[in-house]
Amino acid sequence: MPGLAESRRRFAALTALGALVAAAPALVTPAAAAPFTQAAPAAGTTETAAAAAATPLRVLFDNSKAETAGNADWIIGTGQPDPLTQDPTPTVETDWTGAISAWGVALQKTGRYSLRTLPSGGTITYGTTAATDLQNFDTFVLPEPNVRLSPSEKTAIMRFVQNGGGLFLVSDHTGADRNNDGWDAVEVINDLMSDNGVDDTDPFGFTVDTGTVQTDNPRAIADTTDPVLNGSFGRVTGSIIRSGTTVTLKPAANPAVKGLVYRTGQSGTTGAFFATSAFGAGRVAVWGDSSPVDDGTGQSGNTLYDGWNDSAGTNAALALNATDWLSGATSSGGGGGGTCTAGQLLANPGFESGNTSWTATSGVITDDSGRPARTGSYKAWLNGYGSAHTDTLAQTVTIPAGCTTASLVFHTRIDTAETTTTTAYDTLRVQVLDSAGSVLSTLATYSNLNASSGYVQRSFSLAAYAGRTVTVKFTGTEGSQLQTSFVIDDTSLTVG
């Protein structure tokens, strides 16, 4: 009964007075989330060119993991971190020196991109003040990394993707350990996905296969709506393998995974040469060989192969369309198609209409004075009983396919009677579910360790779910002793 629940919660709240702990830093703040909500305006508007120049799509290419060891030369230019220092107006790929300079120059020439390189000796970070910190970029490219990522670097990459960033992984065949440190790209990428401190259970829904495919010309699947296969840089028909590998798809681990290009004679979950996925609010792409992005030119002394212009595949279109998609230039719904009317999608966002529009545990949406609303009288108050209890709050919404931005914002006030500074006894999970109720991503998990004296704004990009009907769900789980109250107010899901 709601009345009894409210009485129990008031009692738990009173017994907790004086036991509130200091707030831990917010897991995600508007400042950290903001870099991932920027996108170029829709084509056809009068302000497209000016807006694109003001808010370019930002891509960081890695060169901190021995990408130039041995015969490799996986850099867009020797000007680092800014390739424009080598040539500010490149017109052909040789204006920048590197085996993937064709990739960089092609993006630069669009006028829509701002490119940087994380130089050799650099560290991959997220949430710091470094100019090359991932929070300052829309997409991060790891082109055949040959050094194992540190624990903090793996966590940084996962948080970046989880909060809306795009991750482009380029592998190579087993044994391509160019700096002889015991780690090749297959091992580095698989290690990222199995030991990252965020989600170690195949978070992207694929594993890079151990082995070597010497030569093949993989073909693209028949899909006229996929934005990577049908992007602004051309239609993708296939690619090439010149000593590379494939990936095994695991849709049970992540239903968003999708094979786009397959090795000859293979399909389904095996033999995928190029695949895409989503994690949290971000997007992921993986390519099984570096040969397709190799333009055949680079620094002196390297033996390279011009896969970029190999007529057996449409490699340039695949690399560039995927970069567009990862950076948010196109939606998941199909080549940037569809329409989008800018606005706020959630019904009853501040709960002032009471228990309507949301699906919630009895007593969660309330005007009980035991906890203040941020604005108005009503809020969603999960848990706070001081006994084992689970509360939920959810709303289903359709994000239009034409939208390139979708920002979920809500405010939380967390107070607790727990005194520990190390153990999360009570938790609040924020998740995105598909129409079947399967979890697409866990955006964040808060706990008694995140107690705050007032409301804290949280922000996440849901742009990866454009064209889909999804459910935003909050689940509060409380242990058997000492209350923790998770109060939510002033929600919004704004698209544009």
Side-chain angles (χ1 to χ4, degrees), residues 43-68:
T45 64
T46 58
E47 298 180 359
T48 297
T55 57
L57 302 171
R58 302 153 300 172
V59 180
L60 179 67
F61 287 82
D62 187 69
N63 185 32
S64 70
K65 299 296 172 279
E67 279 91 350
T68 60

Side-chain angles (χ1 to χ4, degrees), residues 295-483:
D295 59 36
T297 67
Q299 299 177 92
S300 177
N302 293 313
T303 302
L304 302 169
Y305 173 78
D306 188 5
W308 188 262
N309 296 302
D310 191 321
S311 60
T314 47
N315 301 308
L318 183 51
L320 298 170
N321 286 347
T323 308
D324 255 4
W325 177 76
L326 289 168
S327 303
T330 56
S331 75
S332 299
T339 59
C340 180
T341 300
Q344 199 286 114
L345 302 182
L346 294 179
N348 190 21
F351 309 106
E352 294 306 310
S353 296
N355 194 21
T356 63
S357 303
W358 296 86
T359 300
T361 307
S362 178
V364 163
I365 297 177
T366 178
D367 62 351
D368 188 302
S369 60
R371 292 294 183 278
R374 179 175 178 270
T375 59
S377 301
Y378 281 81
K379 65 276 175 181
W381 181 356
L382 289 77
N383 306 116
Y385 294 93
S387 59
H389 186 83
T390 298
D391 278 328
T392 60
L393 172 74
Q395 186 172 147
T396 299
V397 63
T398 299
I399 303 175
C403 295
T404 57
T405 62
S407 179
L408 173 67
V409 175
F410 56 92
H411 298 76
T412 63
R413 181 183 185 275
I414 303 172
D415 66 73
T416 184
E418 301 285 359
T419 58
T420 179
T421 59
T422 58
T423 304
Y425 289 114
D426 312 309
T427 61
L428 175 70
R429 285 177 295 150
V430 187
Q431 297 176 308
V432 180
L433 283 62
D434 64 15
S435 56
S438 299
V439 176
L440 294 174
S441 67
T442 297
L443 300 178
T445 300
Y446 306 107
S447 73
N448 48 282
L449 301 178
N450 301 110
S452 54
S453 58
Y455 280 91
V456 178
Q457 180 175 304
R458 320 284 185 175
S459 178
F460 300 89
S461 171
L462 302 191
Y465 305 110
R468 303 184 65 173
T469 297
V470 297
T471 297
V472 177
K473 184 177 182 180
F474 302 85
T475 302
T477 304
E478 194 171 18
S480 60
Q481 300 180 50
L482 300 177
Q483 76 88 26

Side-chain angles (χ1 to χ4, degrees), residues 112-163:
R112 296 186 291 113
Y113 278 88
S114 174
L115 310 177
R116 292 291 186 273
T117 296
L118 180 61
S120 176
T123 300
I124 302 167
T125 62
Y126 178 70
T128 73
T129 59
T132 53
D133 188 275
L134 291 181
Q135 70 176 340
N136 299 320
F137 297 90
D138 300 293
T139 293
F140 181 48
V141 181
L142 264 175
E144 197 186 328
N146 262 249
V147 175
R148 186 187 187 188
L149 306 177
S150 71
S152 65
E153 289 179 315
K154 288 182 284 188
T155 299
I157 291 174
M158 297 300 293
R159 291 298 187 201
F160 166 67
V161 178
Q162 188 177 49
N163 293 329

Side-chain angles (χ1 to χ4, degrees), residues 51-52 60 104 116 196 200 247 259 264 322 362 479:
L60 179 67
R116 292 291 186 273
N196 56 63
D200 299 335
V247 299
T264 302
S362 178

Side-chain angles (χ1 to χ4, degrees), residues 204-205 250-251 253-259 276-279 325 440 465 468:
F204 304 147
K250 300 181 177 181
N254 187 332
V257 71
K258 179 181 182 181
T276 58
S277 188
F279 178 70
W325 177 76
L440 294 174
Y465 305 110
R468 303 184 65 173

Side-chain angles (χ1 to χ4, degrees), residues 66-67 69 71-74 142-146 169-178 183-190 207-214 240-247 273 286-294 303-305:
E67 279 91 350
N71 279 323
D73 195 38
W74 314 129
L142 264 175
E144 197 186 328
N146 262 249
L169 300 169
V170 180
S171 186
D172 203 355
H173 61 89
T174 295
D177 178 11
R178 302 180 187 276
W183 286 83
D184 59 33
V186 174
E187 295 166 318
V188 172
I189 294 172
N190 284 340
T207 301
V208 183
D209 297 329
T210 300
T212 300
V213 179
Q214 292 293 349
I240 64 168
I241 303 178
R242 302 296 184 259
S243 292
T245 189
T246 53
V247 299
F273 181 56
V286 61
W287 214 334
D289 189 8
S290 55
S291 296
V293 294
D294 187 344
T303 302
L304 302 169
Y305 173 78

